[in-house]
Amino acid sequence: MNLILLGPPGAGKGTQAQELERCHGLVQLSTGDMLRAAISSGSDLGQEVKSIMDSGALVPDEIMIRMISERTDQLDCTNGFILDGFPRTTAQAEALDDMLDEKGMKIDHVIEMSVDAQVLTKRIAGRFSCAGCGAGYHDEFQKPAKDGVCDHCGNTEFTRRSDDNAETVRKRLDAYEAQTAPLLPYYRGKDSLRTVDALAEIAEVTAEIETVLGGA
Ligand code: AMP
């Protein structure tokens, strides 16, 4: 089963992708995480994309399409994957369709995580993740059970994204409205789009997604 999670920054795509990974044995393909890994490794790609990401703009389509094409060729994707943060433009969506066609793969569900734009800034500003296993947390909505200790791996180091500041967040939301929101009618037209209320509690959103996957 291959899925796309579609929604603005802060909608909870990463959180739900981690749940889906755990419960369904799918692999989370977060293009944002891949780009951040490229930056941390100091690769040519990382150097090329760092300033773009820090500005809140989108990385060029060719780079992203190549990245996803190479990633979906890897063995761990044969059981199914969750696209988190891709596609983000119509050109990426069209390229994805062609690419999957060629590989004999397809997308089974496109899930829109719908959320009021006003709450996004608050959600994004408070988020952080475990430096060890990547588990996501939030200052207000999802604290670790024991302060300063990861619930999943016991690590005590946490990180915050450099692009999670108010100014960059505004630009990322603008980029979503201008470039990614047009994908909603694109997928609606193919009758593959289902919408979940991403403002609900995390567990409720997970349950709603399960209902979609169950074919309801
Ligand atoms: P994310 O972690 O998904 O919020 O992505 C963080 C940043 O990475 C975005 O603001 C973009 O600069 C870049 N990025 C991630 N995925 C894509 C994509 N599919 N297309 C273009 N840029 C992307």
Side-chain angles (χ1 to χ4, degrees):
M1 175 167 68
N2 300 320
L3 313 176
I4 296 175
L5 293 184
L6 208 56
K13 300 187 295 297
T15 302
Q16 294 301 330
Q18 287 176 358
E19 283 296 315
L20 288 161
E21 204 171 29
R22 256 197 298 279
C23 301
H24 292 272
L26 306 174
V27 52
Q28 174 190 10
L29 305 185
S30 157
T31 42
D33 285 351
M34 291 179 208
L35 292 167
R36 282 183 286 280
I39 292 173
S40 303
S41 75
S43 67
D44 289 349
L45 171 68
Q47 288 174 27
E48 189 179 342
V49 300
K50 177 154 184 9
S51 57
I52 301 176
M53 288 175 72
D54 283 344
S55 76
L58 293 185
V59 170
D61 288 331
E62 315 79 75
I63 294 179
M64 302 314 304
I65 291 164
R66 194 177 339 120
M67 181 178 276
I68 281 296
S69 179
E70 288 171 4
R71 185 63 186 86
T72 48
D73 282 339
Q74 289 176 18
L75 212 56
D76 61 346
C77 287
T78 44
N79 278 341
F81 53 79
I82 310 143
L83 290 174
D84 159 12
F86 184 95
R88 254 180 161 95
T89 64
T90 307
Q92 291 180 18
E94 289 170 352
L96 178 67
D97 284 346
D98 293 346
M99 171 197 317
L100 293 180
D101 247 5
E102 277 170 29
K103 295 178 203 274
M105 296 167 139
K106 69 178 176 65
I107 296 295
D108 298 284
H109 300 279
V110 182
I111 299 169
E112 177 199 4
M113 300 191 55
S114 162
V115 48
D116 184 312
Q118 299 213 323
V119 301
L120 291 173
T121 316
K122 196 171 171 200
R123 272 197 180 186
I124 295 173
R127 67 187 184 179
F128 59 99
S129 59
C130 170
C133 69
Y137 294 100
H138 193 280
D139 290 326
E140 202 176 321
F141 310 122
Q142 202 191 0
K143 298 180 189 169
K146 183 159 184 261
D147 204 22
V149 182
C150 177
D151 296 344
H152 300 280
C153 72
N155 199 302
T156 54
E157 300 283 319
F158 294 88
T159 57
R160 284 178 197 264
R161 287 172 43 170
S162 62
D163 61 350
D164 276 352
N165 63 77
E167 190 190 339
T168 309
V169 167
R170 235 186 337 270
K171 292 202 183 123
R172 287 163 59 205
L173 292 173
D174 288 347
Y176 178 81
E177 280 310 320
Q179 289 162 280
T180 309
L183 292 185
L184 297 172
Y186 177 85
Y187 285 116
R188 206 170 282 127
K190 291 170 174 287
D191 199 28
S192 50
L193 188 77
R194 298 291 175 270
T195 301
V196 300
D197 172 16
L199 272 183
E201 293 290 318
I202 292 172
E204 284 173 41
V205 180
T206 307
E208 259 199 80
I209 292 177
E210 288 303 327
T211 307
V212 170
L213 302 187

